[in-house]
Amino acid sequence: MSFRQLFDPASSTFTYLLADDLTHEAVLIDPVVEQVERDLRLLRENGLKLKYALETHVHADHITAGHALKQATGAQTAVASDCHAQGYDQYLKDGEVLLFGREELLVIATPGHTPGSVSYLWRDRIFTGDTLLIGGCGRTDFQNGSPAALYRSVTEKLFSLDEQTLVYPAHDYKGRRVSSIGEEKLQNPRFAGKNLEEFVALMNNLNLPLPKHIQEAVPANLRGGPGIGELKNEMNRDAISALSKAALPLRSVSVQQLAELANAGPLSLIDVRTPGEFAGLRIPGSVNIPFDSLHADSLKSMFPPDKPLYCLCQTGTRSGLAADRLRAAGFRQVVHVDGGTNAWEAAGLPFERGAGGAFGLERQVRIAAGGLVVLGAIAGVWIHPLGYAISAAIGAGLVFSGVTNSCAMARLMSKMPWNRATR
């Protein structure tokens, strides 16, 4: 597992990045809109796919980056249902479990600072938002806060956790980064040695000024935060748009998952093999758009750029390149089909077969390359030593193809008459 604690100095807000090392799926807790460029760059540099942008509550001191992150990465946004917010993808309940890769987050309702405040338990640590701070707690004098509810959330729920559980709050104003349940039970002056009545009296007499940005933050956060186009700084918009088009990890599905999705409803599925290959064997419902004829701009009239677009070939090589091209052109939800038609056929899934289809392009390339290597060796032995140059040239070409992930021979073979067959 991977874990990063990030900090926004302007609002003293902690954002937390959690990731599964095997699947590279990730979660961000309490993202800040001014730091969305930082967060996107961190995701890209570490090869992470953001699955969730989560809120511990509707914040009053900063604006969430949830909606902007959703637009840039396709992540789901989530907040507690008791926040009564709009514009989020999921509304969380107490006891709900969120999965990312092999990891899971437990949602614990901890109302008090706001009615919709939640904490997230992950492994040996708890992300407490403003419910429990290091040596303190969130205030309860606005947004329908309740000191009695906060006291019960902390003493009955959070303090019942193992005392070794690490406490990671949403804010700290004194340079502190982490505490533990045991430390807070013993040393937090808001709770240690205080009963409910004493705590309520204390909270009702704090007399704090309102947060500086409450008038703009709360309405924005109740609707999920601004999108990329609404960001105030033009430079930030440009940078975020560039990062959102950059090489974030490509989503992929197995052929079994693709079959289940196809059974649930129609899919936008493009097959980038040659027409000859497509004529020989094809997945029902797929549309043939050969790789060398793939013009992403023209596809926008056929497929919505913001809807999932599944891309396959014979083995996965060409479809991976095609997916990169489509994402660069603005398709935000391109999904690569692992193993392509070879895996589909091997899994015994239904397919359509035509007459007179050509060998797969990868197989044709292997046959042609192998034949030229053999021809060069024979020529070197029986005709002239320069014949070995043919074999050497093919070997160099294969090395270049592997390094650059391109293949001139495949492009040439795709133009052969048998690969231009019609259905």
Side-chain angles (χ1 to χ4, degrees):
M1 60 99 172
S2 298
F3 171 71
R4 292 284 294 270
Q5 185 184 47
L6 308 165
F7 188 64
D8 174 56
S11 62
S12 297
T13 299
F14 289 121
T15 296
Y16 298 98
L17 174 65
L18 291 55
D20 174 50
D21 291 336
L22 180 63
T23 64
H24 306 294
E25 287 190 338
V27 166
L28 279 169
I29 299 174
D30 289 337
V32 178
V33 74
E34 285 81 5
Q35 299 295 337
V36 65
E37 184 179 342
R38 172 203 67 188
D39 296 344
L40 285 171
R41 183 170 286 108
L42 190 60
L43 291 167
R44 185 192 64 182
E45 290 174 351
N46 289 276
L48 301 176
K49 169 63 181 176
L50 187 65
K51 186 172 183 181
Y52 292 113
L54 305 175
E55 307 296 336
T56 53
H57 60 291
V58 172
H59 300 272
D61 47 13
H62 71 267
I63 296 175
T64 177
H67 189 54
L69 287 167
K70 173 185 176 178
Q71 289 183 318
T73 68
Q76 297 278 295
T77 58
V79 71
S81 59
D82 288 337
C83 288
H84 302 294
Q86 304 293 324
Y88 291 83
D89 296 307
Q90 293 193 35
Y91 298 93
L92 306 174
K93 298 284 191 181
D94 184 41
E96 193 167 341
V97 175
L98 298 172
L99 303 177
F100 59 105
R102 303 163 299 169
E103 302 290 332
E104 59 182 45
L105 276 174
L106 175 64
V107 180
I108 301 175
T110 49
H113 173 60
T114 70
S117 292
V118 296
S119 300
Y120 298 103
L121 182 63
W122 179 59
R123 292 184 173 237
D124 63 344
R125 57 206 70 185
I126 182 83
F127 303 96
T128 55
D130 283 12
T131 298
L132 179 62
L133 305 177
I134 298 174
C137 64
R139 57 197 293 177
T140 57
D141 57 337
F142 58 79
Q143 284 189 272
N144 298 312
S146 166
L150 179 59
Y151 184 85
R152 288 190 289 269
S153 291
V154 172
T155 59
E156 297 175 12
K157 289 189 172 183
L158 297 182
F159 283 178
S160 68
L161 299 172
D162 189 293
E163 292 190 352
Q164 301 302 312
T165 303
L166 300 175
V167 173
Y168 286 97
H171 302 282
D172 190 81
Y173 307 96
K174 298 181 180 180
R176 298 166 296 188
R177 295 280 177 164
V178 61
S179 182
S180 70
I181 291 296
E183 289 178 66
E184 296 308 313
K185 286 171 73 173
L186 290 174
Q187 301 174 16
N188 192 310
R190 294 278 176 90
F191 299 97
K194 289 185 172 60
N195 60 30
L196 173 61
E197 290 72 21
E198 292 170 327
F199 178 81
V200 169
L202 170 66
M203 297 300 293
N204 284 338
N205 289 281
L206 291 178
N207 298 317
L208 298 171
L210 287 175
K212 188 188 309 184
H213 300 293
I214 186 171
Q215 297 299 332
E216 57 187 275
V218 171
N221 292 330
L222 282 169
R223 62 182 178 86
I228 292 174
E230 300 172 78
L231 298 182
K232 295 179 180 179
N233 189 304
E234 188 74 36
M235 291 181 63
N236 279 352
R237 285 203 296 271
D238 293 343
I240 292 164
S241 294
L243 282 169
S244 69
K245 294 177 182 177
L248 290 171
L250 176 63
R251 290 176 58 195
S252 63
V253 295
S254 67
V255 292
Q256 290 85 358
Q257 290 170 322
L258 181 68
E260 292 174 4
L261 291 167
N263 287 334
L267 298 178
S268 296
L269 175 62
I270 62 172
D271 186 326
V272 300
R273 296 176 301 153
T274 66
E277 295 174 282
F278 187 75
L281 181 148
R282 56 189 174 272
I283 296 175
S286 59
V287 176
N288 184 215
I289 304 176
F291 179 74
D292 62 351
S293 302
L294 188 68
H295 302 294
D297 289 340
S298 65
L299 292 183
K300 291 180 180 178
S301 62
M302 301 171 58
F303 306 106
D306 59 344
K307 299 295 184 183
L309 178 58
Y310 297 85
C311 196
L312 82 152
C313 63
Q314 182 184 353
T315 62
T317 301
R318 283 172 285 172
S319 58
L321 296 172
D324 288 338
R325 184 182 296 181
L326 291 168
R327 289 195 298 164
F331 284 88
R332 306 307 323 137
Q333 296 196 54
V334 182
V335 185
H336 176 255
V337 181
D338 288 333
T341 55
N342 280 358
W344 183 276
E345 187 175 15
L349 295 168
F351 56 83
E352 298 172 349
R353 188 185 293 277
F359 285 152
L361 194 60
E362 288 90 346
R363 186 175 176 186
Q364 294 179 48
V365 169
R366 291 197 299 270
I367 292 171
L372 288 172
V373 169
V374 171
L375 179 63
I378 292 172
V381 171
W382 296 103
I383 301 174
H384 192 280
L386 285 177
Y388 291 121
I390 299 174
S391 299
I394 295 300
L398 292 172
V399 171
F400 180 79
S401 174
V403 170
T404 63
N405 200 25
S406 63
C407 185
M409 184 176 288
R411 290 196 297 271
L412 177 64
M413 297 295 294
S414 69
K415 300 181 186 300
M416 294 294 105
W418 55 84
N419 287 322
R420 292 296 182 183
T422 58
R423 281 186 276 174

